Amino acid sequence: QVQLVESGGGLVQAGGSLRLSCAFSGRTFTTYAMGWFRQPPGKEREFVAAINWNGGNTAYTDSVKGRFTISRDNAKNTVYLQMNSLKPGDTAVYYCAARVGTIATTTGRFTSWGQGTQVTVSS
């Protein structure tokens, strides 16, 4: 089965940057589209970004466009989320997710999930 392990979260001041990583194992990485989701305190999990198997197709939620970049390194079985110009509203637990096939933007279409990594942005 697929295993996903996120890293790179932490505490950062507003305007700062973080890069999240998600290590994939257990299956053939290039079979999977990957996504990042987040769950702010007291709220539901929401879509952040997604990428197809070769990086040729990406999608972002409007609130992060121009600030966040999703990418993947198929040689390292790893997907990244570069987060720049962070805002207090970006504070959340960030989750990596995987699904076989094409890119998707809803939680229900992803079948494998990591444990999450906390991102806290102070004002």
Side-chain angles (χ1 to χ4, degrees), residues 1-5 23-32 76-77 98 100 112:
Q1 70 221 33
V2 171
Q3 293 184 327
L4 302 172
V5 179
F24 175 106
S25 63
R27 290 290 185 270
T28 302
F29 187 48
T30 52
T31 304
Y32 287 77
K76 296 182 178 180
N77 286 3
V100 173
S112 300

Side-chain angles (χ1 to χ4, degrees), residues 6 20 36-39 48 68 81 83 86 89-96 115-119:
E6 302 98 334
L20 305 184
W36 286 98
F37 291 76
R38 65 187 180 186
Q39 188 162 13
V48 176
F68 290 12
L81 186 68
M83 305 186 294
L86 282 160
D90 295 318
T91 294
V93 177
Y94 282 71
Y95 296 91
C96 176
Q115 294 297 310
T117 185
Q118 176 71 47
V119 172

Side-chain angles (χ1 to χ4, degrees), residues 17-85:
S17 297
L18 284 174
R19 188 176 82 155
L20 305 184
S21 299
C22 173
F24 175 106
S25 63
R27 290 290 185 270
T28 302
F29 187 48
T30 52
T31 304
Y32 287 77
M34 302 297 296
W36 286 98
F37 291 76
R38 65 187 180 186
Q39 188 162 13
K43 297 184 178 180
E44 294 187 352
R45 196 170 299 188
E46 62 185 23
F47 170 75
V48 176
I51 190 167
N52 76 328
W53 74 275
N54 67 354
N57 187 16
T58 58
Y60 298 91
T61 193
D62 285 348
S63 64
V64 308
K65 286 180 180 177
R67 300 189 298 123
F68 290 12
T69 302
I70 189 170
S71 62
R72 64 191 291 162
D73 185 338
N74 288 343
K76 296 182 178 180
N77 286 3
T78 302
V79 62
Y80 304 98
L81 186 68
Q82 177 67 44
M83 305 186 294
N84 299 328
S85 302

